[in-house]
Amino acid sequence: MTRPAFHRPAAILAALVLLLGLTAPVAGVDGDEYVRLTNLKRASVGLGPVSLHAAVDQVAVERGNHMAAHDDFTHDMTYVASRLTALGVCYTGYGEIIAYTTRTDYTPSNAIERWWKSTGHKAIMTGNYTHAGGSHARSSDTGRMYSVMVFVKLCGASTPPPSGSDTQFTRLAGSDRYATAAAISKSRFGGGASTVFIATGAGFPDALAGAPAAAMARGPVLLTERGGLPSATATELARLKPSKIVVLGGAGVVSDAVLSQLRSYAGTVVRWAGADRFATAATISARTFAAGVPVVFLATAGTFPDALSGGAVAGRMAGPILLVDRDAVPAATATELARLKPARIVVLGGTSVVSEGVRLAVDRYTTGPVSRIAGADRYSTSVQISRSAYGSSESVFIATGTNFPDGLAGGPVAALLPGPLLLVTATQLPSVVKTELQRLGPDRVFILGGTGVVSGTVVNAIDAALP
């Protein structure tokens, strides 16, 4: 069982919980042991140690005692922050992980092992922190043993080696694609949003075409299942308090039952859809952009990577993304291009995804150039898209190039911050992306998704590549 909690922007921050089933000998409360065991795990992935900090350890003791006294298995990040401040701790980032078990044979090593097997908890244990503390306490009423660790990065403290830069890393992730989209939304729309876009989490075309529209409306894209609203999405909607919700796609991807659920979160709920993905993208464009747009981006409807990176740039440049087949311009796309009369058209991706014939065919819809942005593969294409829009950038977003869900919600946020969205593999930083990061020189890097899609190894490689 995991729950995302409060995030601060100066490190990879999260707070999650885990229900444990543990076996081992009994041990006492020992902050030194929690930190020692954590450092063994960090060393196993090439990270330097965190240090035990007396005040941080005290906060961990207090949190464990509170959970045990009240049988309250929840985070209280406000308490953690206020106590750290009251104890004179100057910090730029912090995180918490908690767990409980009803077993009597408990030691800190049990919690450490289970946390290490959970991608969210492991992200905190391997995060950009310098100091930590840990504790546990048992409830006299239920017999539950509550364990907790608190991690901080102290003001002015350097990250434990091998960290090689002063860049701030923030991982925006949840337990699944729906919770990740909610985490991305919360990172940018902390004060709420008047308009929220909802798209299926099972496919990519509608959400990707919706990214520029969401950026124009200054609202997030959240994801849903076809037949029901995921709890993470419902919770984020309740927090955002929108006045309008726009559902992207037809009833085949987002059912009318979901629309009924959404009406409890906003006064206006509308559906923008067409007969297929091409017509849906055209409808989204028509509802958002007036004729005479500065640019239209064309992407294949067959794969996601080019539109994923392109959506962030399209939103920044106030132009839509329309979809095409490899060798044909669908009628809905042609009709919308004729209405838009764009000043120029940009084709995203190489000729293997959008043919030269398509590029030549759309020339009739603009008086300006029809250009192509492409690289040797999806990773280099994301770099070329970045280079087309940014000379440098204080912020960069990183997403996996091998699957779409975690990056879907990133487009509007990247467009608004702004910053390019670059693609990596789960375990490697492509050399062309490394070179682009060095050219951009970002102060902040946002990782979209958990360590299963963008590993700590990739984050460390990015960190090492930056000055």
Side-chain angles (χ1 to χ4, degrees):
M1 179 170 62
T2 61
R3 302 176 195 144
F6 189 74
H7 297 256
R8 289 190 183 276
I12 301 175
L13 305 176
L16 303 101
V17 296
L18 187 66
L19 176 62
L20 302 177
L22 306 171
T23 58
V26 177
V29 177
D30 192 343
D32 284 295
E33 184 68 355
Y34 280 97
V35 172
R36 184 186 72 83
L37 293 168
T38 295
N39 285 334
L40 289 176
K41 294 298 187 184
R42 288 174 64 90
S44 72
V45 293
L47 295 176
V50 294
S51 300
L52 181 69
H53 189 287
V56 177
D57 199 46
Q58 179 178 332
V59 175
V61 170
E62 292 171 7
R63 286 285 295 122
N65 289 343
H66 173 87
M67 287 189 290
H70 300 279
D71 274 313
D72 180 21
F73 187 45
T74 59
H75 289 284
D76 190 344
M77 301 306 283
T78 301
Y79 178 86
V80 173
S82 65
R83 287 297 292 143
L84 288 171
T85 301
L87 292 169
V89 180
C90 178
Y91 58 90
T92 60
Y94 68 107
E96 178 188 75
I97 48 179
I98 61 177
Y100 80 79
T101 180
T102 56
R103 302 291 292 269
T104 58
D105 45 358
Y106 173 84
T107 68
S109 64
N110 301 139
I112 293 293
E113 291 299 326
R114 292 299 296 272
W115 281 331
W116 193 251
K117 292 176 182 177
S118 165
T119 56
H121 299 77
K122 185 177 180 180
I124 296 177
M125 296 171 73
T126 58
N128 193 24
Y129 302 113
T130 58
H131 293 76
S135 183
H136 57 262
R138 189 177 296 279
S139 167
S140 59
D141 292 328
T142 63
R144 284 182 174 181
M145 179 70 82
Y146 294 89
S147 52
V148 60
M149 285 195 72
V150 175
F151 294 80
V152 301
K153 182 175 183 180
L154 297 185
C155 297
S158 59
T159 303
S163 177
S165 77
D166 294 326
T167 305
Q168 297 175 356
F169 288 84
T170 303
R171 186 182 292 274
L172 304 176
S175 58
D176 57 25
R177 62 191 65 186
Y178 309 103
T180 292
I184 294 170
S185 168
K186 192 172 183 179
S187 74
R188 178 60 178 82
F189 303 98
S194 60
T195 303
V196 173
F197 292 76
I198 299 288
T200 176
F204 58 85
D206 299 338
L208 294 180
M216 296 297 289
R218 304 190 71 81
V221 171
L222 297 177
L223 304 180
T224 185
E225 295 175 331
R226 180 190 178 278
L229 201 61
S231 60
T233 303
T235 299
E236 180 63 1
L237 283 169
R239 188 193 67 81
L240 288 166
K241 295 180 173 62
S243 58
K244 181 180 180 180
I245 295 175
V246 178
V247 174
L248 304 175
V253 292
V254 181
S255 69
D256 289 336
V258 170
L259 261 70
S260 296
Q261 286 182 272
L262 292 171
R263 291 190 178 97
S264 64
Y265 297 98
T268 301
V269 178
V270 298
R271 186 192 292 276
W272 293 356
D276 55 26
R277 58 186 61 185
F278 308 104
T280 292
T283 298
I284 294 168
S285 171
R287 300 289 176 85
T288 306
F289 297 96
V293 292
V295 62
V296 168
F297 292 82
L298 296 182
T300 176
T303 58
F304 70 91
D306 300 336
L308 188 63
S309 296
V313 172
R316 184 187 182 209
M317 294 184 173
I321 287 182
L322 296 177
L323 303 179
V324 294
D325 282 321
R326 180 191 180 279
D327 296 310
V329 182
T333 302
T335 299
E336 180 60 5
L337 282 169
R339 184 194 70 84
L340 285 166
K341 298 179 176 63
R344 64 188 179 100
I345 296 173
V346 177
V347 175
L348 300 174
T351 55
S352 64
V353 291
V354 179
S355 70
E356 186 63 7
V358 167
R359 190 189 72 82
L360 295 173
V362 298
D363 182 69
R364 73 187 71 176
Y365 300 109
T366 179
T367 57
V370 179
S371 60
R372 183 188 296 274
I373 300 177
D377 55 26
R378 61 190 59 188
Y379 307 103
S380 55
T381 294
S382 76
V383 166
Q384 293 304 318
I385 292 170
S386 170
R387 292 180 68 88
S388 75
Y390 292 92
S392 63
S393 181
E394 293 182 357
S395 301
V396 170
F397 292 76
I398 300 292
T400 177
T402 58
N403 204 358
F404 63 85
D406 293 314
L408 286 180
V413 175
L416 291 170
L417 198 56
L421 196 158
L422 299 174
L423 303 181
V424 299
T425 75
T427 58
Q428 291 186 329
L429 174 65
S431 59
V432 66
V433 177
K434 174 183 175 180
T435 300
E436 178 63 359
L437 284 163
Q438 292 170 333
R439 185 188 73 85
L440 291 166
D443 296 322
R444 295 176 293 179
V445 175
F446 296 90
I447 310 298
L448 305 182
T451 55
V453 293
V454 181
S455 67
T457 300
V458 172
V459 175
N460 291 338
I462 295 172
D463 193 26
L466 295 173

